[in-house]
């Protein structure tokens, strides 16, 4: 795995299309996903576990007491680093996408398509710098927008 993506969920049950998400994630073999349930009060965690069961490149971290988005990302990052030792680790907060499932799918497909460009951009951003694990984390949405990736430029920015 070249890259890892942490996705933070909180009360996302009504927005999550499990079958479509499984289908999308199973098409992506070179990215390891960590789905973090940030103390959802609905059935989000059960749905994330179902996704994990059907996808080889997915793990789930369940946070039982609500944390800030930053703390939830850090929980996922600690898990991913300890399990996979990834050099490039980004995160997606579904709240930033206004809990719209189609925005999440579009962003994930864009990351898959432009993975090498994102990795090269991450290398440039972190060159000549000694950073801790948490300082190396990057916002996937920020990188995609800064790189002006074509697939997302016209599609996702208008929806968010």
């Amino acid at each position: 795995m070249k890259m890892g993506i942490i996705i933070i969920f909180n009360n996302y049950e009504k927005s999550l299309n499990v079958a479509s998400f499984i289908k999308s994630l199973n098409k992506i073999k070179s990215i390891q996903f960590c789905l973090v349930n940030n103390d959802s009060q609905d059935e989000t965690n059960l749905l994330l576990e179902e996704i994990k069961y059907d996808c080889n490149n997915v793990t789930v971290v369940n946070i039982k007491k609500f944390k800030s988005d930053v703390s939830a990302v850090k929980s996922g990052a600690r898990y991913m680093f300890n399990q996979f030792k990834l050099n490039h680790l980004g995160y997606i907060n579904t709240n930033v996408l206004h809990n719209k499932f189609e925005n999440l799918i579009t962003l994930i497909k864009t990351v898959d398509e432009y993975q090498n460009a994102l990795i090269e951009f991450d290398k440039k951003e972190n060159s000549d710098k000694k950073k801790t694990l948490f300082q190396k984390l990057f916002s996937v949405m920020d990188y995609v927008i800064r790189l002006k990736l074509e697939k997302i430029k016209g599609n996702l920015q208008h929806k968010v």
Side-chain angles (χ1 to χ4, degrees), residues 40-115:
S40 296
Q41 300 304 305
D42 60 8
E43 301 296 318
T44 298
N45 189 54
L46 292 174
L47 297 177
L48 298 181
E49 288 292 338
E50 185 178 334
I51 293 164
K52 172 187 162 186
Y53 180 78
D54 288 328
C55 299
N56 293 330
N57 59 338
V58 173
T59 58
V60 173
V61 172
N62 185 31
I63 300 173
K64 294 183 181 180
K65 184 176 179 186
F66 183 79
K67 295 183 175 188
S68 69
D69 292 338
V70 172
S71 293
V73 168
K74 286 182 177 181
S75 294
R78 274 190 291 278
Y79 180 83
M80 293 287 277
F81 183 75
N82 288 331
Q83 293 297 313
F84 304 105
K85 308 274 192 270
L86 299 167
N87 290 326
H88 307 284
L89 193 54
Y91 64 90
I92 299 170
N93 186 337
T94 56
N95 292 332
V96 174
L97 301 173
H98 305 292
N99 288 335
K100 292 183 179 175
F101 181 71
E102 63 274 5
N103 290 350
L104 178 60
I105 294 298
T106 299
L107 185 56
I108 289 171
K109 287 178 180 178
T110 302
V111 168
D112 181 41
E113 186 175 340
Y114 294 101
Q115 184 180 156

Side-chain angles (χ1 to χ4, degrees), residues 101-144:
F101 181 71
E102 63 274 5
N103 290 350
L104 178 60
I105 294 298
T106 299
L107 185 56
I108 289 171
K109 287 178 180 178
T110 302
V111 168
D112 181 41
E113 186 175 340
Y114 294 101
Q115 184 180 156
N116 290 334
L118 288 165
I119 288 172
E120 288 305 312
F121 187 73
D122 189 45
K123 285 178 184 178
K124 288 177 186 173
E125 287 292 301
N126 290 309
S127 67
D128 302 328
K129 299 175 187 173
K130 297 278 184 188
K131 290 187 172 185
T132 67
L133 165 67
F134 300 123
Q135 291 171 327
K136 289 181 182 179
L137 284 171
F138 63 90
S139 164
V140 171
M141 184 74 141
D142 181 46
Y143 271 27
V144 166

